[in-house]
């Protein structure tokens, strides 16, 4: 059965105290209200990982994610955080290739391929982000572009490795803009990506792959998006910073 996942991406928000307050509200809501078989992931800044991990450790459906990891395993790389460090905090997921990291830190598909491999080696579940800019969407080459991101960063994996990867399709023009992809646009891309995965790894792995949508997802549009046959949940930015909104999105399935 394909996993339903709602993952929050806090980005550069929340002091440790604010993050713990938010995580504690979400923990209580998930404990009291979670109605469906949904895996919930909190993508926090690095400094929150350990404390949020402790707070949520007894809630089976709640997991913690880092928002990035280094391409190096250890060594003289000041300021970087390795997959084994992330794993040692109790986090079990890592977001890789978010468009903000691709844009502001020039992350390439090749570097992301290394990050995905390191994450899997450290037993972390990668949430691999892909998505096109508005220019590419308007040129009509969006499917080809996003498929190439997947080919270049994921097609070197074994079938076993690929079966552990979560994909997040996030059209850049919809991130933080208030403009959401229509459910038809999102479904069309998710279906195409699943077919692309099937072309390399076969139908079983493609059918089982969780493909999340991200980009201005909120309580008012989550249900329509999550009702699409190839949309298995969401990666949520802004709305994950408010516990009530985040929980309403989780309960939109
Ligand atoms: C994101 O940054 O991953 C994201 C989806 O942001 P937002 O929900 O704010 O558009």
């Amino acid at each position: 059965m394909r996993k339903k996942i709602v993952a929050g991406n806090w980005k550069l928000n929340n002091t440790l105290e604010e993050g713990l307050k938010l995580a504690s509200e979400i923990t209580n809501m998930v404990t009291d209200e979670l109605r469906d078989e949904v895996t919930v992931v909190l993508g926090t800044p690095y400094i929150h990982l350990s404390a949020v991990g402790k707070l949520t450790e007894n809630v089976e459906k709640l997991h913690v994610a880092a928002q990035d990891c280094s391409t190096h395993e250890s060594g003289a790389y000041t300021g970087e955080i390795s997959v084994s460090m992330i794993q040692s905090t109790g986090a079990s997921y890592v977001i890789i290739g978010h468009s903000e990291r691709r844009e502001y830190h020039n992350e390439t598909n090749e570097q992301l391929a290394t990050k995905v491999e390191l994450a899997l080696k450290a037993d972390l579940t990668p949430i691999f982000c892909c998505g096109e800019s508005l220019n590419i969407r308007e040129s009509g080459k969006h499917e080809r572009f996003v498929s190439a991101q997947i080919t270049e960063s994921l097609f070197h994996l074994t079938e076993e490795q690929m079966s552990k990867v979560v994909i997040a399709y996030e059209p850049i023009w919809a991130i933080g803009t208030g403009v959401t992809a229509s459910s038809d646009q999102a479904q069309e891309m998710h279906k195409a990506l699943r077919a692309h995965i099937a072309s390399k790894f076969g139908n079983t792995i493609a059918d089982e792959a969780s493909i999340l949508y991200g980009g201005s997802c909120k309580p008012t549009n989550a249900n329509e998006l999550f009702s699409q046959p190839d949309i298995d949940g969401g990666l949520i930015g802004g709305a994950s910073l408010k516990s009530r909104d985040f929980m309403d999105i989780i309960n939109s399935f």
Side-chain angles (χ1 to χ4, degrees):
M1 251 270 284
R2 214 185 279 167
K3 240 190 196 172
K4 296 176 186 173
I5 302 172
V6 177
N9 176 12
W10 293 2
K11 309 190 186 188
L12 183 61
N13 292 295
N14 290 325
T15 61
L16 184 55
E17 195 184 353
E18 289 162 348
L20 281 171
K21 180 170 174 287
L22 176 60
S24 140
E25 287 168 8
I26 294 168
T27 304
N28 292 337
M29 287 178 180
V30 166
T31 308
D32 295 344
E33 299 177 29
L34 190 64
R35 293 194 292 262
D36 209 338
E37 277 300 301
V38 185
T39 297
V40 180
V41 182
L42 303 180
T44 79
Y46 291 128
I47 63 138
H48 297 63
L49 291 176
S50 183
V52 172
K54 284 214 172 63
L55 194 78
T56 57
E57 70 188 346
N58 294 324
V59 188
E60 201 201 325
K61 287 281 161 196
L62 203 42
H63 302 268
V64 182
Q67 297 173 17
D68 181 38
C69 62
S70 176
T71 50
H72 303 285
E73 290 184 87
S74 63
Y77 302 100
T78 303
E80 302 225 359
I81 304 286
S82 72
V83 286
S84 62
M85 291 174 189
I86 294 167
Q87 207 255 1
S88 73
T89 67
S92 49
Y93 284 73
V94 56
I95 299 170
I96 291 177
H98 192 281
S99 58
E100 288 153 12
R101 295 216 52 93
R102 292 176 186 261
E103 183 179 350
Y104 307 138
H105 301 272
N106 300 318
E107 293 193 353
T108 63
N109 289 335
E110 196 185 358
Q111 286 170 324
L112 300 177
T114 304
K115 291 187 182 195
V116 168
E117 216 170 307
L118 288 174
L120 290 166
K121 218 166 109 185
D123 248 342
L124 296 171
T125 301
I127 300 179
F128 178 78
C129 301
C130 52
E132 80 287 357
S133 65
L134 189 58
N135 276 351
I136 295 173
R137 162 85 35 184
E138 286 175 348
S139 73
K141 297 190 177 131
H142 45 288
E143 271 184 28
R144 204 180 320 158
F145 179 84
V146 180
S147 296
Q149 290 180 319
I150 288 186
T151 304
E152 288 171 31
S153 297
L154 301 180
F155 274 20
H156 66 299
L157 299 177
T158 63
E159 286 181 13
E160 198 201 334
Q161 286 175 315
M162 185 62 192
S163 67
K164 296 178 181 152
V165 175
V166 173
I167 310 254
Y169 166 59
E170 301 204 300
I172 297 169
W173 46 273
I175 295 180
T177 58
V179 179
T180 316
S182 70
S183 50
D184 286 349
Q185 284 173 319
Q187 165 58 23
E188 186 183 43
M189 180 64 91
H190 283 229
K191 190 175 170 198
L193 295 182
R194 204 177 295 287
H196 187 55
I197 294 166
S199 72
K200 168 74 180 173
F201 296 100
N203 285 335
T204 309
I205 286 177
D207 283 346
E208 295 279 304
S210 295
I211 309 182
L212 317 183
Y213 167 80
S216 299
C217 185
K218 29 189 187 254
T220 47
N221 58 28
N223 177 263
E224 197 188 333
L225 288 159
F226 297 174
S227 306
Q228 301 303 312
D230 288 293
I231 301 184
D232 308 307
L235 180 55
I236 319 295
S240 74
L241 298 172
K242 293 191 186 124
S243 53
R244 186 67 266 160
D245 283 358
F246 189 54
M247 194 63 214
D248 287 346
I249 292 173
I250 296 164
N251 276 334
S252 293
F253 275 106

